[in-house]
């Protein structure tokens, strides 16, 4: 049985992370943050796709200053991603961001980390400690010999303790590597040691197709242990794809039901219709639905409805006609060319009647 690991809860604007709250999907803008119009437009596209919080890279002073304008334009929780220069974090906090992502180890002296922690605490803003296999401290790398799961966890624990010792407990942690196995192992090790809410993902997962598979394996693997409170898919692609993939992972694992889900059979020697074209058309039209319905598209009238018993609605193609079914029960026989129209007619009718 799937049981969530118990973690503390932090709030990012109005969105909770951890403490049993729904696992959220986040992404990161790929625009130059100094370009306010482009960045706002991408944030809006991400939000429209279902992104629940958006991270922005803040590499310099001008990018930090741009946050004042960006903040005025969007309501979605914003996360400022900052390395090396603690002053950027202080500006971002002033600009009204809702969470900081830092790596305390590369911020410099403990005094600077303390300055950030105190400013964040004064505004009630949480901090994500982001540990990454590519930027481990030399001392830890020397001690462990490689960016192993144990080394990553050691780094995360040290950095969380650094903030804890400063009296700052509003923390979330990520421990990312581009290796699926190392990342899964690292998160399970960390979850045994601390109840800090966890942001999970596979870093630098790759291009759209392979990166999606790698992210699904890694994020899915971690989630299957009940670990993970918020997810980010990292793709070398339009970040909107990261949101679609993240939502799809949560849907595929049955963790969240967001919008429609299409179940379709692989087809076999019994298929007498173009199942690929049929499934794609159903997916295209279903994208307009907001309710979390499962729709099956099956290749034959003999086994289709039975195989898709867990679905809310479905169609099964035949030779010149097909079956329309609901919860595995046949509703009626329909001419093949009318199958899709009748399917969506039935869904709309049920939704109007509150079924
Ligand atoms: Fe084959 Fe029918 Fe099953 Fe599709 S639903 S895989 S066509 S038996």
């Amino acid at each position: 049985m799937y049981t969530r690991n118990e973690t503390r809860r932090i709030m990012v604007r109005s969105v909770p992370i951890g403490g049993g709250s729904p696992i959220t999907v986040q992404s990161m803008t790929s625009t130059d943050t100094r370009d306010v119009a482009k960045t706002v437009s991408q944030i809006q596209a991400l939000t429209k796709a279902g992104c629940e919080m958006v991270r922005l890279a803040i590499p310099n002073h001008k990018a930090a200053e741009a946050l004042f304008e960006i903040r005025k334009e969007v309501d979605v929780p914003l996360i400022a991603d900052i390395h090396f220069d603690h002053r950027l974090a202080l500006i971002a906090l002033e600009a009204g961001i809702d969470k900081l992502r830092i790596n305390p180890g590369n911020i410099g002296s403990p005094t600077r980390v303390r300055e950030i922690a105190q400013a964040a605490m004064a505004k009630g803003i949480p901090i994500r400690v982001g540990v990454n296999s590519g930027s481990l401290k030399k001392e830890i790398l020397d001690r462990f010999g490689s960016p192993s799961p144990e080394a990553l966890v050691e780094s995360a624990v040290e950095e969380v303790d650094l903030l804890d010792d400063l009296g700052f407990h509003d923390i979330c942690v990520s421990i990312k590597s581009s290796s699926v196995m190392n990342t899964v192992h690292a998160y399970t090790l960390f979850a045994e040691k601390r109840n800090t809410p966890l942001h999970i993902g596979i870093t630098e997962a790759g291009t759209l197709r392979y990166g999606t598979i790698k992210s699904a394996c890694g994020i899915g693997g971690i989630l299957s242990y009940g670990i993970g409170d918020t997810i980010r898919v990292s793709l070398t692609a339009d970040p909107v794809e990261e949101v679609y993939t993240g939502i799809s992972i949560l849907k595929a694992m049955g963790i969240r039901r967001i919008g429609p889900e299409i179940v379709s059979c692989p087809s076999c020697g019994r298929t007498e219709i173009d199942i690929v074209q049929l499934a794609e058309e159903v997916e295209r039209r279903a994208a307009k639905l907001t309710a979390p319905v499962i729709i099956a598209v099956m290749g034959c009238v003999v086994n289709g409805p039975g195989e898709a018993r867990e679905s809310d609605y479905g169609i099964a193609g035949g030779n010149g006609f097909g079956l329309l079914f609901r919860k595995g029960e046949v509703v009626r026989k329909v001419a093949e060319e009318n199958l899709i129209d009748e399917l969506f007619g039935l869904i709309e009718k049920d939704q109007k009647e509150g079924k």
Side-chain angles (χ1 to χ4, degrees), residues 82-91 93 100 102-121 127 162-163 166 168:
I82 287 156
H83 290 275
F84 311 120
D85 189 343
H86 76 294
R87 292 167 301 180
L88 302 180
L90 301 178
I91 298 170
L93 287 166
L100 282 173
I102 61 167
N103 184 340
N106 73 23
I107 287 294
S109 66
T111 315
R112 288 174 178 172
V113 176
R114 184 180 303 118
E115 230 180 299
I116 294 177
Q118 283 172 345
M121 209 180 323
I127 293 177
L162 180 67
L163 288 171
L166 293 170
F168 189 91

Side-chain angles (χ1 to χ4, degrees), residues 7-325:
T7 54
R8 286 200 319 265
R9 176 176 295 198
I10 61 168
M11 291 301 295
V12 184
R13 204 168 180 88
S14 56
V15 179
I17 295 179
S21 48
I23 297 172
T24 44
V25 174
Q26 52 179 286
S27 182
M28 186 167 184
T29 50
S30 57
T31 52
D32 181 337
T33 309
R34 292 170 297 184
D35 188 333
V36 172
K38 268 196 185 158
T39 302
V40 166
S41 165
Q42 194 171 61
I43 292 171
Q44 286 164 342
L46 289 168
T47 310
K48 193 170 168 222
C51 188
E52 292 163 303
M53 52 191 90
V54 179
R55 180 157 52 114
L56 303 95
I58 311 298
N60 50 44
H61 210 86
K62 280 199 171 146
E65 291 290 342
L67 288 172
F68 285 91
E69 289 306 309
I70 294 167
R71 174 74 288 169
K72 283 184 206 155
E73 302 290 327
V74 294
D75 274 336
V76 68
L78 296 178
I79 304 158
D81 188 288
I82 287 156
H83 290 275
F84 311 120
D85 189 343
H86 76 294
R87 292 167 301 180
L88 302 180
L90 301 178
I91 298 170
L93 287 166
E94 279 309 308
I97 52 96
D98 306 294
K99 185 175 157 205
L100 282 173
R101 185 266 163 148
I102 61 167
N103 184 340
N106 73 23
I107 287 294
S109 66
T111 315
R112 288 174 178 172
V113 176
R114 184 180 303 118
E115 230 180 299
I116 294 177
Q118 283 172 345
M121 209 180 323
K123 291 192 175 289
I125 299 299
I127 293 177
R128 165 157 71 99
V129 169
V131 173
N132 199 303
S133 61
S135 57
L136 275 186
K137 274 196 283 190
K138 187 174 176 308
E139 183 268 313
I140 289 184
L141 269 179
D142 289 345
R143 200 161 10 127
F144 288 86
S146 71
S148 63
E150 291 78 9
L152 293 166
V153 170
E154 179 70 13
S155 174
V157 167
E158 271 186 18
E159 303 207 343
V160 166
D161 288 350
L162 180 67
L163 288 171
D164 266 335
D165 290 347
L166 293 170
F168 189 91
H169 312 294
D170 220 2
I171 307 166
C172 170
V173 163
S174 63
I175 313 167
K176 295 189 189 176
S177 150
S178 61
S179 154
V180 168
M181 290 304 197
N182 280 355
T183 310
V184 174
H185 190 181
Y187 275 103
T188 54
L189 284 178
F190 184 86
E192 285 168 9
K193 293 176 188 285
R194 295 284 190 278
N195 68 348
T196 316
L198 290 171
H199 162 125
I200 65 171
I202 302 296
T203 195
E204 297 133 20
T207 50
L208 182 57
R209 188 178 174 126
Y210 186 63
T212 296
I213 292 167
K214 208 167 165 182
S215 299
C217 293
I219 294 173
I222 297 162
L223 289 172
S224 71
Y225 289 109
I227 298 168
D229 300 292
T230 181
I231 69 173
R232 190 247 168 144
V233 171
S234 303
L235 297 176
T236 312
D238 183 334
V240 166
E241 297 291 348
E242 298 185 348
V243 179
Y244 291 143
T245 306
I247 290 173
S248 299
I249 291 171
L250 295 181
K251 283 204 293 195
M253 295 200 67
I255 288 175
R256 281 185 74 180
R257 291 195 68 185
I258 309 169
E261 182 174 349
I262 309 301
V263 171
S264 56
C265 85
S267 82
C268 68
R270 293 183 191 87
T271 320
E272 293 178 289
I273 54 160
D274 184 345
I275 188 77
V276 176
Q277 192 258 329
L278 198 66
E280 283 176 356
E281 178 61 12
V282 169
E283 189 166 62
R284 192 185 64 75
R285 287 187 52 174
K288 296 191 183 99
L289 299 172
T290 50
V293 287
I294 301 177
I295 304 172
V297 183
M298 309 302 278
C300 77
V301 293
V302 183
N303 295 338
E307 284 182 14
R309 216 174 285 283
E310 303 304 316
S311 305
D312 297 308
Y313 299 93
I315 50 176
N319 187 2
F321 73 94
L323 297 181
L324 178 63
F325 56 93

